[in-house]
Amino acid sequence: MPAAAFALEGQVLDASGQPVAQAMIKLAPPQLAVGDSTYTMFTTPDGRFAFPAQAAGTRLTVRKLGFETVTVPAGDSAQIRLTTADNLADQVPPSGWLPRTGADDLARANTVLQCTGCHQLPSEKMQHYSRMLDGKSEAEKQVAWKAMIDYMRVKFVQIGPDQTLYDPTRMDFKNVLDPAAGFFDAHDEAQISAFLAKHLPTRFDQLTQFDYGAPLGVTAHTLMREIQLPQDSFVREVGLTPESPYLWGADLQHNRLLRVDPRTGEQKPYPVPYDGPTGPHTIVDTPDGDFWITMLEQGVVGRFDPRTEKWQLFDKFGTYEMAHDVAYNYQFYATPDTQGRYWFTLIGSNRMARLDPRTGEAVMVDTPRRDDQSALHAALYGAVITRDGKRVWFSQLSGGVGAVNTETGKVDVYLPLAQGAGPRRMALDDQDVLYVPLFGTGELLIYDSTSDTELARVMMPDPNNAAYSAVWDPWRRVIWIGTSNADVIYRFDPDDRSFAVYPLPSDMGYLRMITFDRRNGNLWTAYSNIPTGAGPSRFLMIDPGDRINVGQAP
């Protein structure tokens, strides 16, 4: 691009005057108001950076692992000096405070699975609590962490949307504390409290070693943009379709979609037209430009046309079923089976639901679980559908991975996984190879769904990253993996099974689903810490900088 197309240029050097490559440069306004944007780029091998013309801001923050973070006025960008940091305590993500290997690997995996399901581990609040246990015996710490788990049982029923049906003020407190009725049972409680007592530090002011576990994938052409959303909203996911110029967020907290104009940042709410709370959760587009939206309350799912702004709602699943995911294909489209029916996971009952949108008829299919396990503890989660539409694969947070034959309505494959594995949102590639991020163990399970053969389990760069989702990128032919505990996104190349790391612009970068702008191949996601307001509330765009030619969407 010609020099005139750049809004701001500069160079980053170390204390000796040598260039610093792949340093993160974030351009931001003095205060982030709703609709404002930040822009982030990375330096060249000779330490230079150049922001595009649309980027605006008044201050630059420069970060690079192993160097002290520096913030300067945007006008002082010509030459920015970094000094080496001996203490990395303020630079590492929460995953850096957990052991990467050790004798308690199952306990570590289960702790990551159960605790990081809502927030990063250890979060700032958790670190504060742990500091108060400094000097206590391991037995005393375990009692203290058990008490905290009881508190988390109460907090868990407080994270629903406005007017939630699960209002703890109207619930029997004994039921709230009952391990058999929650996401984490009595075994989880004992294992997690023992692990935290033994392995979680009580001091967080000194750390001398940390690495991402894989090389950075960013280049001088990588561009990231964050758009500020209302801090009191809980926009878990973002949807895009070429049929709409807007970004659409599922705001679980306020029972609505939130429309965002990417050109101006202007935002407009679209309440779900249903009596009572709905809790919109997942939003996935269709090839014809609509969105399917699942909702965690009252068994509702909806189809929304962003062109006409009209809803079509279906509520035949049952009030407490908690619709979580709609099955999507390798192109990340919500996709019906061979008979035009869409498939959903019901996290409240451990069942798959088959919905015919022409008639509204819903049929349920039970999925396996242990005899001693509640449906909620099994936690039926993600769903993907094969190219021929004849199989829908599902994952369970505290169970395994399986497939429903869409023609017979029966589970014909089930792969039990070890305790703490925690499979979440999966991806299928264009050959129906399944990629399953294991949230607890930090592995990527690769499975050929046509021959029903496990191909590999690949350890991700940081086993404590809490990988929430995997999506197949049909243009670059790679897998993108969103993490909840490492403040990064991973790119995985199936050909050589290598990883590359993309650091996020903000701390507390709790990611859920990743989607694409089908017009240019850019990635979009959202920060989604629980509870509402606990972390950044923003959409995040990532242009990897490889300048691919998207052309016709594959």
Side-chain angles (χ1 to χ4, degrees):
M1 296 177 66
F6 295 117
L8 189 69
E9 301 179 65
Q11 187 177 28
V12 179
L13 306 172
D14 64 18
S16 65
Q18 296 301 305
V20 179
Q22 292 181 311
M24 175 190 287
I25 320 294
K26 183 173 181 177
L27 178 62
Q31 298 291 332
L32 270 178
V34 172
D36 284 349
S37 291
T38 72
Y39 295 86
T40 298
M41 300 200 72
F42 297 84
T43 54
T44 65
D46 63 358
R48 298 190 179 279
F49 63 91
F51 281 90
Q54 73 266 28
T58 60
R59 58 188 172 91
L60 289 172
T61 299
V62 184
R63 301 169 65 181
K64 171 83 173 181
L65 187 64
F67 291 89
E68 298 287 352
T69 300
V70 172
T71 298
V72 300
D76 296 343
S77 65
Q79 203 172 85
I80 302 172
R81 297 272 182 163
L82 299 183
T83 57
T84 303
D86 297 323
N87 183 7
L88 305 180
D90 293 333
Q91 301 184 26
V92 301
S95 62
W97 297 106
L98 301 177
R100 290 195 173 184
T101 58
D104 294 327
D105 250 10
L106 282 179
R108 178 195 60 78
N110 204 32
T111 302
V112 171
L113 170 62
Q114 300 295 345
C115 295
T116 318
C118 290
H119 57 80
Q120 293 191 324
L121 170 70
S123 65
E124 288 186 10
K125 294 178 181 179
M126 236 180 135
Q127 291 180 29
H128 176 74
Y129 186 77
S130 190
R131 287 188 193 100
M132 294 191 295
L133 304 180
D134 192 32
K136 303 293 185 182
S137 68
E138 190 173 317
E140 290 172 317
K141 291 177 185 176
Q142 186 166 350
V143 171
W145 285 115
K146 279 189 176 181
M148 179 55 69
I149 290 172
D150 274 345
Y151 175 66
M152 286 295 108
R153 295 190 193 282
V154 177
K155 294 298 292 183
F156 182 76
V157 295
Q158 292 178 326
I159 61 176
D162 297 343
Q163 304 172 358
T164 176
L165 301 177
Y166 304 93
D167 185 347
T169 63
R170 297 197 297 266
M171 297 175 70
D172 186 325
F173 190 63
K174 290 182 179 179
N175 290 338
V176 171
L177 295 182
D178 183 2
F183 261 79
F184 31 98
D185 62 18
H187 174 266
D188 298 330
E189 177 182 281
Q191 191 176 58
I192 293 167
S193 59
F195 174 83
L196 293 174
K198 184 176 182 180
H199 293 291
L200 190 67
T202 55
R203 296 284 302 274
F204 299 90
D205 54 352
Q206 286 288 328
L207 191 68
T208 57
Q209 292 185 334
F210 178 81
D211 65 84
Y212 288 117
L216 298 185
V218 297
T219 72
H221 300 296
T222 302
L223 174 65
M224 301 183 183
R225 179 189 177 193
E226 299 169 304
I227 303 176
Q228 182 67 27
L229 305 174
Q231 193 64 22
D232 68 341
S233 65
F234 182 27
V235 181
R236 295 171 72 95
E237 297 183 13
V238 56
L240 295 88
T241 170
E243 303 300 319
S244 171
Y246 301 109
L247 310 169
W248 297 86
D251 183 356
L252 186 149
Q253 185 66 47
H254 297 312
N255 305 302
R256 66 187 185 183
L257 294 185
L258 191 64
R259 192 190 78 182
V260 179
D261 188 331
R263 298 161 298 179
T264 64
E266 180 185 5
Q267 300 174 18
K268 180 179 179 181
Y270 287 78
V272 180
Y274 195 83
D275 185 22
T278 52
H281 179 280
T282 299
I283 179 168
V284 183
D285 66 323
T286 66
D288 58 1
D290 289 349
F291 290 111
W292 277 99
I293 298 104
T294 66
M295 310 187 204
L296 288 184
E297 301 235 5
Q298 305 200 79
V300 182
V301 299
R303 188 160 183 156
F304 180 77
D305 186 336
R307 294 152 296 199
T308 64
E309 300 178 352
K310 301 296 184 183
W311 288 88
Q312 184 181 14
L313 298 178
F314 305 87
D315 61 356
K316 303 300 183 183
F317 294 165
T319 301
Y320 297 101
E321 294 284 1
M322 300 172 66
H324 193 277
D325 263 25
V326 58
Y328 49 84
N329 67 0
Y330 74 95
Q331 297 169 305
F332 198 65
Y333 282 126
T335 304
D337 63 17
T338 57
Q339 298 182 52
R341 303 167 304 194
Y342 289 85
W343 289 76
F344 300 85
T345 56
L346 303 179
I347 198 171
S349 64
N350 194 45
R351 299 193 295 179
M352 297 291 295
R354 185 185 73 200
L355 174 68
D356 188 331
R358 296 159 296 194
T359 64
E361 179 189 20
V363 176
M364 314 303 176
V365 177
D366 289 318
T367 64
R369 59 184 168 94
R370 300 192 316 265
D371 291 340
D372 63 343
Q373 188 179 42
S374 71
L376 192 60
H377 186 261
L380 189 62
Y381 214 79
V384 290
I385 189 167
T386 55
R387 289 174 300 164
D388 60 10
K390 295 181 178 180
R391 261 189 181 176
V392 172
W393 286 86
F394 60 84
S395 62
Q396 298 164 314
L397 290 188
S398 294
V401 174
V404 175
N405 184 310
T406 62
E407 297 180 335
T408 66
K410 304 293 185 183
V411 175
D412 62 4
V413 180
Y414 186 69
L415 310 172
L417 294 173
Q419 171 214 28
R424 297 197 94 144
R425 251 72 175 274
M426 309 168 288
L428 277 171
D429 70 12
D430 54 8
Q431 301 301 311
D432 282 341
V433 174
L434 193 66
Y435 298 85
V436 186
L438 301 183
F439 191 87
T441 60
E443 300 168 289
L444 181 65
L445 168 63
I446 307 174
Y447 184 90
D448 187 337
S449 73
T450 57
S451 63
D452 287 329
T453 305
E454 182 175 325
L455 302 178
R457 294 199 192 192
V458 182
M459 182 58 70
M460 286 182 269
D462 179 349
N464 302 313
N465 75 80
Y468 183 92
S469 62
V471 290
W472 168 250
D473 185 331
W475 303 286
R476 302 173 179 90
R477 304 191 64 77
V478 300
I479 296 288
W480 295 97
I481 300 172
T483 73
S484 300
N485 207 42
D487 292 341
V488 298
I489 282 179
Y490 294 141
R491 186 190 69 210
F492 176 74
D493 188 334
D495 289 339
D496 60 9
R497 294 183 180 170
S498 65
F499 288 91
V501 177
Y502 290 71
L504 301 179
S506 293
D507 295 333
M508 299 183 70
Y510 194 106
L511 302 185
R512 294 183 185 270
M513 206 58 192
I514 300 170
T515 188
F516 300 100
D517 187 331
R518 303 182 191 278
R519 293 161 290 202
N520 52 35
N522 291 344
L523 284 63
W524 283 88
T525 185
Y527 299 130
S528 302
N529 288 272
I530 300 175
T532 301
S537 178
R538 297 167 198 158
F539 283 154
L540 170 64
M541 182 277 291
I542 298 179
D543 176 355
D546 44 14
R547 299 179 176 178
I548 61 168
N549 181 15
V550 173
Q552 184 68 28

